[in-house]
Amino acid sequence: MRPDGPPPRQAWEAPVPAGTQRRRLDQSIMARKPGKKYIAAAQQVEKRPYTLEEAIPLVQKLKYTKFDETVEVHMRLGVDPRHADQMVRGTVVLPHGLGKTKRVLVIASGEKIREAEAAGADYVGGEDMIEKIQKENWLDFDAVIATPDMMRSMAKLGKILGPRGLMPNPKTGTVTMDVAKAVQEVKAGKVEFRVDKTGVIHAPVGKVSFPADKLLENASTLIQAVVRAKPAAAKGRYVKSVTVCSTMGPGVSLDVTPYNMRVV
């Protein structure tokens, strides 16, 4: 009698590729039913677009976990990121920060090292820091700022920092001679946003425990920054949808009409 379980693969049967096995596992995980608490929270969200002023208090009300969740904004844009002239990317300093202090590493030399230290950078150095990251895979920081003269050496770290979104870039203000200002902005709650390959921007705007008016101002500041960053090459409706949610909570859809009026 054959033991319980799937029948053994016959010699003529091709093995299932590892990639297919992973996809099947991912699909099975995604197919799991949401928990009772999530369902109860989702049932409190009406099937209509909300104003931002309505959405923020609702997201806070729907929290059901014990930890202080992050409040996130997700924006689907009418751009094609495959084209360089339709890339949406930028930074914005949230007026009330993110509820946590970022650890900042500054790669510089000479007088700029002292400026970075005075501005409150957590780690400061030059070639020694680059070597530490390269040899020890040291990544005990949340943001990296570099002066232009150090970028030739920083190129060695592209494969380490790039995939983690930590590589300094002039477009985000993290390659600069004004290291003191850059450090202060990151510490104050500077957020980088960038459209992904599906045309969506994902960004945090604070913690659920924030007062509603501070979350509202942070979210509004981020959305307005994305609206102002509309590429000239983008045609048609720019802001297709905006959803606000907490880390574990259901999404609350916003009325995007006012955001599209501002970019006409």
Side-chain angles (χ1 to χ4, degrees):
M1 180 183 295
R2 183 177 62 82
D4 292 337
R9 181 173 62 84
Q10 301 299 318
W12 50 267
E13 292 181 316
V16 178
T20 300
Q21 292 176 343
R22 285 195 296 272
R23 284 195 296 273
R24 288 177 179 175
L25 177 59
D26 291 342
Q27 290 169 355
S28 67
I29 293 173
M30 293 174 65
R32 291 177 183 171
K33 293 183 178 180
K36 292 181 179 179
K37 291 182 179 179
Y38 178 91
I39 293 175
Q43 289 174 342
Q44 298 180 58
V45 181
E46 298 177 23
K47 294 182 179 180
R48 65 173 177 86
Y50 287 76
T51 64
L52 186 59
E53 292 77 10
E54 294 173 321
I56 292 298
L58 179 57
V59 168
Q60 292 177 300
K61 175 185 174 183
L62 299 177
K63 177 183 178 297
Y64 59 86
T65 60
K66 294 182 179 180
F67 68 95
D68 193 9
E69 300 177 42
T70 297
V71 177
E72 306 163 357
V73 171
H74 305 272
M75 301 179 68
R76 182 174 297 281
L77 306 179
V79 298
D80 186 347
R82 293 175 298 178
H83 301 292
D85 59 357
Q86 294 190 44
M87 175 58 67
V88 179
R89 182 176 188 175
T91 59
V92 61
V93 177
L94 300 182
H96 303 291
L98 289 170
K100 67 175 184 179
T101 301
K102 286 190 174 183
R103 298 163 298 173
V104 180
L105 165 65
V106 175
I107 305 294
S109 60
E111 183 63 29
K112 295 301 174 181
I113 288 182
R114 288 184 284 277
E115 287 183 22
E117 290 173 337
D122 298 275
Y123 309 104
V124 182
E127 296 289 347
D128 56 327
M129 285 294 185
I130 293 174
E131 185 176 347
K132 181 179 178 69
I133 296 170
Q134 194 172 26
K135 292 186 176 180
E136 302 177 22
N137 201 34
W138 176 69
L139 294 166
D140 193 23
F141 45 84
D142 304 301
V144 184
I145 296 165
T147 51
D149 59 299
M150 298 300 297
M151 288 308 293
R152 182 183 295 273
S153 298
M154 287 291 294
K156 306 172 188 175
L157 305 178
K159 292 183 178 179
I160 299 174
L161 301 182
R164 295 172 172 83
L166 294 171
M167 193 66 181
N169 189 307
K171 293 182 179 179
T172 61
T174 48
V175 177
T176 177
M177 290 300 291
D178 195 348
V179 294
K181 179 182 178 182
V183 169
Q184 290 165 0
E185 287 183 342
V186 172
K187 291 286 187 178
K190 185 176 183 178
V191 171
E192 179 180 352
F193 58 85
R194 180 176 183 175
V195 68
D196 65 17
K197 62 182 180 181
T198 65
V200 179
I201 281 177
H202 313 271
V205 293
K207 296 291 186 179
V208 170
S209 60
F210 278 23
D213 59 333
K214 292 186 177 182
L215 272 178
L216 176 61
E217 192 173 352
N218 276 0
S220 180
T221 299
L222 172 74
I223 293 171
Q224 290 172 13
V226 175
V227 168
R228 288 194 297 269
K230 180 187 178 182
K235 304 300 180 184
R237 190 171 61 162
Y238 178 53
V239 183
K240 290 190 171 183
S241 69
V242 181
T243 302
V244 182
C245 65
S246 61
T247 305
M248 303 298 291
V252 179
S253 297
L254 302 187
D255 178 7
V256 300
T257 303
Y259 307 129
N260 284 307
M261 289 174 63
R262 295 174 189 172
V263 296
V264 172

